[in-house]
Amino acid sequence: MKTLFSPFDMKDLQLRNRIVMSPMVTNSANEDGTVSDWHMVHYVSRAIGGVGLVMIEASPVESRGRLFRKDIGIWSDNHIERLTKLANQVHQAGAKIGIQLFHSGRKGRVKTEEIVAPSAIPFNEKSRTPKELTKDEIKEIIQAYQDGAKRALKAGMDVIEIHAAHGYLVNEFLSPLTNKREDEYGGSFENRLKFLVEIIRSVKEVWPATKPLFVRISAEEYHEDGLHVDDYVEIAKILKKEGVDLIDCSAGGVLPIRPPHIGPGYQVPYAEKIRREAEIATSAVGLLYEPALADEIIRNERADLIFLGRSLLYNPYWALDASRRLGAEIDYWPLQYTQAKENLAGYFLYRE
């Protein structure tokens, strides 16, 4: 039986467990978009803390695709050196590393940059109105994704994830709420999917077939005229044929609407349904801070990976603590921390 601490194999990727540090924007890069010293501590500490895969935060493929001014960048060859250093340190700590290719679209908050979208519709009444992309500009952005994938490969990344969720540019093309185009990139379901499919094909031209490609989606848009999980089952089937290996199942963000219910595991049914009906690997997200819940999701084959966000912000050693609480025997407890494991195990067990 698979558990949270079972190894995960996909193509040439081998993870020591099913725990992934979810990509989370930190707005802490150097001014030129390079990885900062702070990131070296931030990401490597989670690798030391036992996660199987560290996903670097949303990394824009062009400067105007930034969400915040100090996002980690992947739009320039100047970014490769520091990304390589980070990848090497994460590998030395026993984890694998991936990067999320990203474009903020109409949600970009860098005031000195133009914001763009499939249609000139602002996110809310306080937002700037984005420029509607021309077809030539669309092709340029698709090329930027390919260039970003080339840099990710040079930097030693093990996984690429294309961010197609949370109301950012790719999601804006997918959703009928934000895409009102009348050309081949708008209108029908197939046309709205065209931008993402062309990005995937472009990335796969340079990303080795032996390395996994993930896509993050918003499986529910919380609006009757938006996309819902049944739509994403069909999208996932198409993406699988295009060579996508895993669907990272999140929700929301297309419109400024809060989910009607938020609680532990509230987004897991999306991962479970897409996994079952599209027959593709999925990851689950959404307040999965209890190890027993995360383990149950894997044991019952509701998802293949667990993406943790705020839990790992709060506790970089969540994975080590979870192994203790679940009684899982692991051989990658850091040698330097062994004394804590041995001396405090009884104390924690007594308290619980």
Side-chain angles (χ1 to χ4, degrees):
M1 177 182 289
K2 297 172 184 175
T3 72
L4 184 63
F5 286 92
S6 296
F8 176 80
D9 294 320
M10 176 177 279
K11 295 184 171 178
D12 279 358
L13 180 71
Q14 294 183 319
L15 304 182
R16 57 192 176 183
N17 57 45
R18 306 296 179 112
I19 304 166
V20 181
M21 180 182 184
S22 193
M24 294 171 283
V25 173
T26 62
N27 192 23
S28 299
N30 296 320
E31 290 292 338
D32 60 354
T34 54
V35 168
S36 68
D37 289 343
W38 184 88
H39 287 120
M40 297 295 178
V41 176
H42 174 62
Y43 287 114
V44 176
S45 63
R46 275 71 187 176
I48 293 171
V51 303
L53 174 64
V54 171
M55 288 295 299
I56 299 175
E57 62 205 71
S59 301
V61 297
E62 60 174 19
S63 179
R64 68 177 173 177
R66 287 177 291 170
L67 180 61
F68 296 110
R69 182 173 57 87
K70 297 178 75 174
D71 284 349
I72 291 178
I74 195 74
W75 70 82
S76 168
D77 287 351
N78 293 333
H79 298 141
I80 296 173
E81 181 179 359
R82 295 286 290 179
L83 284 168
T84 302
K85 181 178 180 181
L86 175 59
N88 288 341
Q89 291 193 16
V90 168
H91 286 151
Q92 288 170 15
K96 302 299 184 182
I97 188 167
I99 191 166
Q100 191 181 64
L101 302 185
F102 166 80
H103 196 297
S104 62
R106 69 176 185 169
K107 296 178 81 172
R109 302 184 190 181
V110 182
K111 294 182 179 179
T112 57
E113 296 282 5
E114 173 185 61
I115 57 171
V116 296
S119 302
I121 304 170
F123 177 63
N124 59 33
E125 65 279 0
K126 297 180 180 180
S127 301
R128 290 182 288 165
T129 299
K131 175 185 179 297
E132 182 173 310
L133 288 163
T134 67
K135 286 191 281 187
D136 285 343
E137 289 172 324
I138 290 172
K139 297 299 184 185
E140 290 171 0
I141 293 175
I142 292 169
Q143 181 62 51
Y145 273 90
Q146 185 183 87
D147 293 341
K150 289 179 183 177
R151 296 183 185 109
L153 182 61
K154 289 181 180 179
M157 297 296 146
D158 302 299
V159 175
I160 279 177
E161 178 170 273
I162 296 170
H163 198 334
H166 301 161
Y168 299 120
L169 185 64
V170 178
N171 197 175
E172 291 163 20
F173 272 89
L174 290 171
S175 177
L177 299 172
T178 49
N179 185 345
K180 305 298 182 182
R181 299 178 72 93
E182 297 180 353
D183 61 10
E184 63 266 38
Y185 288 96
S188 70
F189 176 85
E190 293 77 15
N191 284 4
R192 287 183 280 108
L193 188 57
K194 182 178 174 65
F195 182 56
L196 174 56
V197 167
E198 290 187 351
I199 288 172
I200 292 166
R201 291 175 179 175
S202 181
V203 165
K204 286 186 69 64
E205 288 178 6
V206 299
W207 187 245
T210 55
K211 288 178 176 282
L213 177 63
F214 297 176
V215 173
R216 171 164 276 194
I217 63 164
S218 281
E220 175 55 60
E221 294 182 354
Y222 305 116
H223 188 286
E224 61 181 352
D225 297 326
L227 295 176
H228 309 286
V229 67
D230 287 337
D231 300 303
Y232 272 103
V233 168
E234 298 308 310
I235 290 172
K237 290 176 181 178
I238 294 170
L239 298 189
K240 180 181 178 181
K241 291 179 181 178
E242 292 293 335
V244 171
D245 299 294
L246 181 141
I247 305 296
D248 178 8
C249 302
S250 188
V254 177
L255 297 179
I257 300 172
R258 286 183 59 81
H261 167 73
I262 297 177
Y266 74 105
Q267 295 179 101
V268 174
Y270 307 137
E272 185 174 11
K273 183 179 178 69
I274 290 170
R275 184 182 190 275
R276 181 179 65 251
E277 297 185 17
E279 298 182 334
I280 189 171
T282 62
S283 65
V285 305
L287 301 180
L288 305 179
Y289 46 81
E290 284 293 339
L293 174 58
D295 190 51
E296 178 273 322
I297 292 164
I298 301 298
R299 285 178 181 271
N300 289 317
E301 298 186 342
R302 302 172 71 193
D304 299 274
L305 295 175
I306 300 296
F307 274 49
L308 295 176
R310 282 164 283 187
S311 297
L312 282 169
L313 293 182
Y314 180 75
N315 179 8
Y317 308 104
W318 186 96
L320 298 180
D321 186 55
S323 71
R324 178 188 58 79
R325 293 175 62 182
L326 294 172
E329 291 295 330
I330 60 173
D331 60 5
Y332 45 84
W333 191 284
L335 178 64
Q336 298 88 340
Y337 299 167
T338 304
Q339 188 175 11
K341 176 187 177 184
E342 294 174 349
N343 291 359
L344 294 180
Y347 169 74
F348 284 119
L349 288 171
Y350 176 75
R351 284 173 59 88
E352 292 171 354

